[in-house]
Amino acid sequence: FSSAIAITEQPVSVSVPVGYSFTLRCRAQGRTSLQYQWFCQYQSDCRLIPGATNQDLPIIAEQTQLYTCRVNDLHRNTVFSDWVKVEVHQCVARGLPPRLWQGEPVIVLNPREQRVEVGQPLQLQCAAMGVPAPSYQWYRNGNLLEQQKRKKLWITHTKASDSGTYLCCASNSHGEHWTNAVDVHIGEQSQPTLLWCISLGKIALLVGNNRYQHHPNLMAPVRDVFELSRLLKHLGFQVVSLLD
């Protein structure tokens, strides 16, 4: 009976940069001595890994693959571990992950601002590295989105109420990390710029007026507004400029 073997430690999925070295682990208990054999699956091809007959499987990450471990005893009882995914990020920015990385989530892809017509699909995407692989949770305007627990947020038919500021939390047993917050505008193309800028938190309103009723004209308000606008944008502000 397969119950003669019990897996006591399942391997865990990971999300790592290309070239990263790590180990998949599987532990089991049985009534006799046990034998281990690891398998991998890439696309639809599942194959035995030659020589991978230990409880631990050392891996140097090259490409995204699935892995499982078969355990059998002397009486031909057999069980398989869970399939786990080794997700490999081929293009990772320089300096990521940090030099003393302990497996905590590291964001490698942030979502981007979207403008979508009502009724059209919305897709936001993020990605994080982590050991074990991070889980994901999306938020809109600070409110948890119960059904959005994947790297990709997908809404098939958007409504005006889907507008807002979105961000995602990637977490594992070592901690959590948040993506950048991005604005999603549903059918708002004609809405004044000022309204969506306010939601970002850092906004500068510049007014350049050269036509006063009871005051001499200024020297160069248009040029001053332009120069200030460029400086504030460099400091991370959303700038709304009004002239006369």
Side-chain angles (χ1 to χ4, degrees):
F1 302 95
S2 62
S3 60
I5 305 172
I7 293 184
T8 57
E9 181 180 347
Q10 296 279 2
V12 297
S13 296
V14 301
S15 182
V16 294
V18 65
Y20 187 78
S21 299
F22 63 99
T23 300
L24 292 179
R25 293 166 49 91
C26 180
R27 297 291 186 273
Q29 291 179 343
R31 297 170 186 170
T32 68
S33 61
L34 301 176
Q35 296 175 323
Y36 293 78
Q37 176 63 61
W38 288 88
F39 295 79
C40 68
Q41 179 176 339
Y42 176 65
Q43 296 177 343
S44 59
D45 179 28
C46 180
R47 63 182 185 271
L48 177 148
I49 304 175
T53 56
N54 295 321
Q55 296 174 319
D56 294 342
L57 177 66
I59 294 177
I60 299 176
E62 294 180 355
Q63 59 189 3
T64 297
Q65 294 187 124
L66 300 175
Y67 292 84
T68 187
C69 185
R70 183 188 69 199
V71 186
N72 61 274
D73 63 13
L74 300 181
H75 301 299
R76 297 185 179 179
N77 296 309
T78 300
V79 296
F80 282 84
S81 74
D82 296 340
W83 281 97
V84 294
K85 184 177 184 179
V86 174
E87 182 181 36
V88 179
H89 297 274
Q90 300 291 340
C91 299
V92 176
R94 183 175 298 176
L96 292 178
R99 197 160 60 94
L100 300 178
W101 190 43
Q102 299 297 312
E104 67 276 9
V106 175
I107 302 296
V108 294
L109 176 65
N110 279 287
R112 295 182 178 182
E113 180 178 339
Q114 301 282 336
R115 290 180 175 271
V116 179
E117 294 286 353
V118 172
Q120 295 299 307
L122 167 67
Q123 177 179 293
L124 296 175
Q125 189 171 356
C126 72
M129 296 184 297
V131 180
S135 56
Y136 296 88
Q137 178 61 64
W138 286 88
Y139 295 78
R140 182 182 67 241
N141 298 332
N143 298 314
L144 183 146
L145 299 173
E146 193 66 43
Q147 306 302 318
Q148 302 292 351
K149 297 179 180 290
R150 299 175 179 271
K151 285 188 294 184
K152 291 183 180 180
L153 176 147
W154 178 259
I155 299 175
T156 308
H157 301 290
T158 55
K159 307 181 296 294
S161 58
D162 291 321
S163 294
T165 302
Y166 286 74
L167 77 168
C168 186
C169 177
S171 61
N172 65 12
S173 54
H174 296 290
E176 62 183 30
H177 207 101
W178 296 77
T179 67
N180 295 339
V182 295
D183 283 334
V184 171
H185 314 276
I186 310 297
E188 293 181 349
Q189 281 76 355
S190 61
Q191 205 169 36
T193 306
L194 182 59
L195 294 181
W196 61 266
C197 284
I198 289 173
S199 68
L200 296 179
K202 293 178 70 175
I203 178 171
L205 175 62
L206 301 180
V207 179
N209 198 351
N210 196 33
R211 297 178 183 177
Y212 291 95
Q213 286 185 334
H214 308 291
H215 193 283
N217 288 348
L218 301 178
M219 292 291 292
V222 174
R223 186 189 66 193
D224 292 342
V225 166
F226 175 77
E227 292 294 338
L228 273 174
S229 174
R230 191 168 62 174
L231 174 63
L232 289 168
K233 286 179 180 178
H234 183 71
L235 295 174
F237 283 81
Q238 295 287 336
V239 178
V240 178
S241 300
L242 302 178
L243 301 174
D244 289 327

